[in-house]
Amino acid sequence: PRDKNGSHWVSVDDRSGSMQGKFATLANGVQQALGKLNPQDRFRIYTFNNSAREITGGFVQATVENVTRYAQSVGGLRADGGTNLYAGLRAGLDGLDSDRTSGIALVTDGVANVGITEKREVLNMMAQHYVRLFTFIMGNSANRPLLEAMTEVSNGFAMETSNSDDIPGQLMQATAKIRHAASHAV
């Protein structure tokens, strides 16, 4: 059996200054990945730098039009500011709908340097939610121990991402994990 209501995907995207030069790749990858969702799936997008901001204004259906519209909105943003990873994740977690199977795709390149940055605090926040986190790491400066620990707590995965083509395939693996878990839920 499949989750007949569709899945919920929350994309949490790093737009801090260190993403300069990588942001177009991120936006393209997000568009390709969201484009592979089923029409009954829904998504919402948050970006973060010094603080978090929602792009979609709630969950939207994964139609071609919505995917294109919101991916273009992300692509039109400027990369600047610090990296408040905690605020980005907090926004994504707070925006989940408990009625649907959910996953969070985090795309980031770096080290949390604004707001709450302590590993224990971030892991405690993740442990309070039943959601799988899939982290796409762009670049070599990332705090891998933190990012990998976050995904382990949520039974997700972290992977290196060198270009936008890596993101859709990995998101499809993540979607398969989410649907498998939904079909075996009691």
Side-chain angles (χ1 to χ4, degrees):
R2 292 184 52 165
D3 185 356
K4 57 188 175 298
N5 293 325
S7 299
H8 271 173
W9 279 100
V10 177
S11 181
V12 179
D13 305 321
D14 183 348
R15 69 177 203 93
S16 64
S18 60
M19 290 295 289
Q20 191 74 38
K22 300 175 203 155
F23 202 66
T25 298
L26 177 151
N28 186 36
V30 167
Q31 181 169 1
Q32 287 183 49
L34 293 175
K36 293 189 181 297
L37 295 177
N38 292 322
Q40 74 269 25
D41 294 335
R42 299 187 330 166
F43 69 91
R44 69 196 305 174
I45 300 174
Y46 295 91
T47 61
F48 67 94
N49 54 8
N50 292 324
S51 60
R53 174 176 163 226
E54 185 172 4
I55 302 299
T56 49
F59 278 104
V60 294
Q61 290 300 127
T63 63
V64 172
E65 297 79 19
N66 282 339
V67 167
T68 301
R69 173 183 170 199
Y70 290 110
Q72 287 176 346
S73 293
V74 170
L77 297 173
R78 200 174 80 235
D80 63 4
T83 306
N84 192 336
L85 177 64
Y86 188 91
L89 275 176
R90 168 96 275 147
L93 290 166
D94 288 348
L96 294 173
D97 179 345
S98 61
D99 291 346
R100 289 200 186 200
T101 305
S102 301
I104 295 180
L106 170 66
V107 186
T108 186
D109 77 333
V111 177
N113 59 15
V114 174
I116 296 171
T117 58
E118 213 175 290
K119 182 177 179 179
R120 182 176 44 81
E121 293 293 324
V122 176
L123 294 180
N124 285 343
M125 176 180 61
M126 288 301 306
Q128 294 172 19
H129 296 272
Y130 183 73
V131 62
R132 289 195 177 172
L133 174 68
F134 303 95
T135 302
F136 303 94
I137 305 169
M138 298 183 78
N140 298 320
S141 64
N143 181 345
R144 278 177 187 70
L146 172 62
L147 297 174
E148 289 169 1
M150 288 166 27
T151 57
E152 286 170 21
V153 165
S154 73
N155 202 21
F157 61 75
M159 69 155 296
E160 302 284 329
T161 303
S162 59
N163 60 56
S164 60
D165 295 336
D166 291 345
I167 298 172
Q170 291 300 320
L171 185 61
M172 289 305 94
Q173 281 187 19
T175 302
K177 279 189 171 208
I178 294 288
R179 291 208 172 100
H180 179 77
S183 68
H184 290 82
V186 178

